[in-house]
Amino acid sequence: MRVLILAAGMGTRMKSKYPKVMHKLMGKELLNWVIDTAKKLNPSKIAVVLGHKSEMVEQILTEDIEIYYQKEQLGTGHAVMSAKDFINNEDILILYGDTPLITEETLNKLVNKHMETNADATVLTTILDNPKGYGRIIKNENGKLIDIIEEADTTEEQRNIKEINSGFVIYKGEKLLYGLSKIKPNNNQGEYYLTDVPKNLNYVETYVLEDFTEVLGINNRVQLAEAEKIMRKRTLNKLMLNGVTIVDPESTYISPDVEIGQDTIIYPMTIIFGNTRIGEECEIGPMTRIVNCEIGDFVKIIRSECEDAKIENNVSIGPYSRLRTGTYLKENVKIGNFVETKKTIINKNSKAQHLTYLGDATIGEDVNIGAGTITCNYDGINKHKTYIGNRVFVGSNTALVAPVDIQDDVLIGAGSTITENIPKGSLALGRAKQITKENWVYKKREKGE
Ligand code: UD1
Ligand code: CA
């Protein structure tokens, strides 16, 4: 089976500089939701039809997606004709790029019915209380589909039909080519309708979907927000039914691709997006944002930001920590208040609990990073590395001027500015010697100064 996704339309009703299919739902473009769902069906190939501002849409596509161009948007039938070379004897599933809530399960059922019945085409339909704006399904007395009529072309009687065309249809490739050759733009919109193909075929089946929310098309930003709400609720329910506690679903945003293990608790006002995996028995939130992270078991993250980070078991983060790209925290690490990390590996049992910046650093096991420690990794032109060995104690308010190499078992006095490498087992002090003048204050006072 091949999949062809139509995404050439302008999306006028979005009132946007960007093509409709580039707008995001849960951090991912509408078109990429459809593509990622299509990929789960393991088709032999996936192609998209692009038109309006195609050079922008191309930027969000992965290389395995074939692209066809529809220069003028003359209708959905015309869009498919623009990808004629993509159609062969294989079955072909047509999807619309503005319908991101469709699930793999539903598409599989559609495909299975199509194969079992050996139909020329199988149309995914659903029943809507308010079918306004959708194409209506016309069936004969035996319940067989004979036509699809677009809203603009319906008679008053047809407008009352509640069964609608989702736009998702699977065809036998050669039947689609035949049907396309028959369609003409003689309708109220002067377009080549893809929906005119079925009436030209001998045997068309329908698969009627119960959960109509899956086929909601997004044409404006109100519908975009509704889709976000539906996708969010669906995702949270699935997680909760699989053993994740979500204390306040109303204020929790988790995208459907995220995986979370049993008995993990998600506290309010937490956002978890992207390619993220979280293990079992973790406590996440409140007020935490996690994007593209791999997180082990028994991890605690409170009021923090984590992006592109790897976090092993039993790590504790926050409140108010910020893990940036390339952070890797191994088992039992503790990152505390106002600590920022970037491109930094921290090995087992080490701690940085207060007011610290660690960038481009490798830190050993059982290290204590004192409050206010800063890796000075940037000299204004280049970034440099800091290396800290095992069992090092860095005193509070230390500046580590990179590149610098601090070996095992070193002790650095508080307030030091370290500019030179330190051999193992040493005490290092890099600060002005303290001067104390006894009774100096009292003498001044006696003189009345
Ligand atoms: C279409 C269907 C309608 C169905 C509805 C479901 C047709 C004629 N109508 O109507 O029966 O109920 O979807 O949501 O197919 N596109 C192109 N090139 C074009 C026109 C559209 O690529 O020339 C793409 C759009 O980018 C969009 C998709 O096709 O992703 C659907 O187009 P849209 O204009 O939104 O169709 P609807 O009026 O919603
Ligand atoms: Ca639409």
Side-chain angles (χ1 to χ4, degrees):
M1 182 184 71
R2 294 186 164 200
V3 176
L4 182 64
I5 303 169
L6 306 189
M10 188 151 76
T12 322
R13 287 164 284 178
M14 293 300 280
K15 305 260 165 71
S16 176
K17 292 191 279 298
Y18 301 94
K20 173 162 73 176
V21 292
M22 286 185 71
H23 284 265
K24 286 182 180 173
L25 205 59
M26 292 255 143
K28 183 157 92 182
E29 299 84 6
L30 300 181
L31 179 56
N32 275 326
W33 281 114
V34 179
I35 290 176
D36 288 350
T37 305
K39 280 183 181 169
K40 293 182 190 155
L41 305 173
N42 291 318
S44 57
K45 278 186 175 181
I46 299 177
V48 296
V49 180
L50 302 183
H52 177 70
K53 295 195 176 169
S54 55
E55 64 295 339
M56 273 181 152
V57 185
E58 278 168 27
Q59 305 294 320
I60 63 159
L61 297 178
T62 51
E63 273 177 13
D64 49 336
I65 306 298
E66 284 186 32
I67 301 174
Y68 291 86
Y69 297 94
Q70 183 194 21
K71 292 209 177 66
E72 272 181 287
Q73 281 77 61
L74 302 177
T76 48
H78 182 262
V80 176
M81 286 187 231
S82 314
K84 221 174 189 159
D85 294 344
F86 185 68
I87 308 168
N88 60 8
N89 308 332
E90 281 178 81
D91 283 343
I92 181 159
L93 175 64
I94 310 280
L95 305 176
Y96 290 170
D98 67 349
T99 314
L101 296 170
I102 191 71
T103 64
E104 178 197 357
E105 294 77 37
T106 295
L107 291 178
N108 269 324
K109 286 179 188 158
L110 176 70
V111 172
N112 289 343
K113 173 135 189 202
H114 181 69
M115 311 243 268
E116 280 161 19
T117 56
N118 199 25
D120 295 342
T122 307
V123 181
L124 184 70
T125 74
T126 194
I127 313 291
L128 292 184
D129 280 345
N130 177 11
K132 197 169 181 288
Y134 289 89
R136 307 296 203 282
I137 302 292
I138 315 294
K139 286 181 167 171
N140 68 14
E141 59 279 7
N142 301 322
K144 289 292 164 210
L145 184 147
I146 48 174
D147 202 359
I148 302 173
I149 308 287
E150 289 308 301
E151 167 118 348
D153 306 301
T154 45
T155 62
E156 220 176 297
E157 198 185 327
Q158 287 168 333
R159 230 166 294 151
N160 293 326
I161 295 174
K162 291 191 171 1
E163 185 171 5
I164 61 99
N165 172 32
S166 71
F168 300 133
V169 185
I170 180 165
Y171 298 87
K172 283 184 174 161
E174 67 278 9
K175 300 289 178 184
L176 175 58
L177 284 173
Y178 170 79
L180 284 172
S181 72
K182 297 283 170 198
I183 62 177
K184 295 191 182 69
N186 49 8
N187 50 56
N188 286 334
Q189 302 189 86
E191 289 187 0
Y192 292 88
Y193 289 162
L194 184 59
T195 43
D196 283 345
V197 169
K199 67 164 169 264
N200 288 298
L201 304 179
N202 285 328
Y203 175 26
V204 179
E205 273 291 348
T206 54
Y207 176 78
V208 187
L209 178 65
E210 263 176 42
D211 178 6
F212 67 88
T213 62
E214 285 193 33
V215 299
L216 293 178
I218 292 172
N219 298 313
N220 60 45
R221 295 192 203 225
V222 175
Q223 290 169 331
L224 183 67
E226 280 165 7
E228 178 109 7
K229 206 168 172 183
I230 292 165
M231 187 177 273
R232 189 150 77 88
K233 192 168 176 205
R234 198 199 270 173
T235 307
L236 296 179
N237 286 352
K238 196 168 154 194
L239 286 168
M240 290 188 276
L241 294 172
N242 278 331
V244 177
T245 294
I246 294 170
V247 175
D248 179 25
E250 289 297 308
S251 71
T252 305
Y253 299 76
I254 302 179
S255 70
D257 296 341
V258 171
E259 289 172 34
I260 304 180
Q262 255 185 23
D263 293 316
T264 283
I265 303 174
I266 312 291
Y267 290 102
M269 286 174 259
T270 291
I271 300 171
I272 310 174
F273 278 178
N275 184 14
T276 295
R277 260 187 305 151
I278 299 177
E280 301 190 350
E281 309 229 17
C282 295
E283 290 181 36
I284 310 289
M287 294 177 194
T288 288
R289 179 173 159 272
I290 298 175
V291 182
N292 298 329
C293 288
E294 200 186 317
I295 299 172
D297 301 328
F298 305 102
V299 171
K300 283 197 168 79
I301 307 179
I302 303 171
R303 280 192 193 229
S304 292
E305 295 268 337
C306 308
E307 201 158 344
D308 300 309
K310 189 173 169 192
I311 298 161
E312 289 189 354
N313 296 346
N314 286 310
V315 167
S316 152
I317 295 163
Y320 304 105
S321 305
R322 178 169 181 219
L323 311 190
R324 292 165 55 200
T325 300
T327 295
Y328 180 12
L329 308 181
K330 300 213 183 159
E331 281 184 33
N332 301 323
V333 163
K334 286 189 162 61
I335 297 295
N337 312 276
F338 303 102
V339 173
E340 174 183 351
T341 61
K342 184 217 72 175
K343 282 195 187 160
T344 286
I345 300 174
I346 305 183
N347 282 286
K348 278 190 219 164
N349 307 326
S350 292
K351 296 172 187 161
Q353 302 262 52
H354 326 270
L355 305 162
T356 285
Y357 172 58
L358 300 170
D360 303 296
T362 299
I363 294 163
E365 295 180 6
D366 300 300
V367 170
N368 189 77
I369 304 284
T373 298
I374 306 291
T375 53
C376 311
N377 59 329
Y378 185 51
D379 59 14
I381 300 163
N382 295 308
K383 300 271 168 67
H384 299 282
K385 295 207 157 81
T386 299
Y387 175 83
I388 299 177
N390 298 323
R391 299 171 300 279
V392 169
F393 183 97
V394 180
S396 295
N397 209 28
T398 292
L400 302 167
V401 182
V404 67
D405 181 344
I406 298 158
Q407 294 187 358
D408 292 350
D409 302 299
V410 159
L411 176 65
I412 298 176
S416 291
T417 297
I418 299 298
T419 53
E420 284 166 22
N421 295 343
I422 310 172
K424 64 179 191 175
S426 314
L427 165 69
L429 296 165
R431 63 191 188 212
K433 203 164 185 248
Q434 182 172 326
I435 301 166
T436 307
K437 297 185 177 176
E438 283 185 23
N439 296 319
W440 186 88
V441 174
Y442 297 133
K443 283 175 196 159
K444 281 270 180 199
R445 284 186 192 162
E446 272 164 33
K447 283 185 193 164
E449 283 177 10

